[in-house]
């Protein structure tokens, strides 16, 4: 009985997270107005596949984000310091 409960809870968690990721990624997808019809159809397929396979996609995306941050740390720090100085000037 308890095992079945956890099984259903895991399924519900998976589906809720897939829905959340799909809606966020769909918003980014719809904001991009520079894609042509072929790119939109390809990106739509990737959107659906990425939403279904989110337990695999999210960790790889996070690792890629960390790698990007390591490569461009100096530029990111300069931009953060510049924006913080503008906030302090007000």
């Amino acid at each position: 009985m308890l095992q079945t409960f956890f099984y259903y809870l895991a399924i519900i968690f998976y589906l809720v997270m897939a829905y959340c990721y799909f809606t966020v990624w769909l918003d980014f997808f719809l904001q991009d107005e520079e894609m042509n019809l072929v790119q939109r159809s390809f990106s739509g397929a990737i959107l659906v596949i990425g939403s279904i396979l989110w337990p695999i996609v999210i960790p790889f995306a996070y690792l890629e984000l960390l790698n990007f941050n390591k490569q461009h740390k100096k530029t990111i720090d300069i931009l953060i310091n510049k924006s913080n100085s503008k906030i302090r000037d007000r």
Side-chain angles (χ1 to χ4, degrees):
M1 177 76 176
L2 190 62
Q3 184 179 8
T4 306
F5 172 74
F6 285 127
Y7 178 72
Y8 287 132
L9 189 64
I11 290 174
I12 290 171
F13 176 75
Y14 173 83
L15 292 174
V16 167
M17 292 304 294
Y19 173 76
C20 290
Y21 289 126
F22 180 79
T23 56
V24 170
W25 291 337
L26 181 65
D27 187 42
F28 288 129
F29 174 73
L30 293 176
Q31 288 178 3
D32 190 359
E33 298 173 355
E34 297 179 2
M35 286 192 284
N36 61 29
L37 186 59
V38 174
Q39 290 172 330
R40 281 205 178 272
S41 60
F42 182 70
S43 296
I46 296 299
L47 175 70
V48 171
I49 292 169
S51 296
I52 293 170
L53 299 176
W54 70 263
I56 298 169
V57 172
I58 297 297
F60 283 111
Y62 184 69
L63 289 175
E64 187 174 330
L65 182 65
L66 288 177
N67 189 25
F68 179 84
N69 191 11
K70 284 180 186 177
Q71 290 176 352
H72 302 286
K73 183 153 179 55
K74 290 181 183 179
T75 307
I76 293 170
D77 289 340
I78 290 170
L79 291 172
I80 288 172
N81 290 334
K82 195 178 286 188
S83 66
N84 286 341
S85 67
K86 287 182 181 179
I87 292 172
R88 288 185 206 131
D89 290 342
R90 290 184 184 175

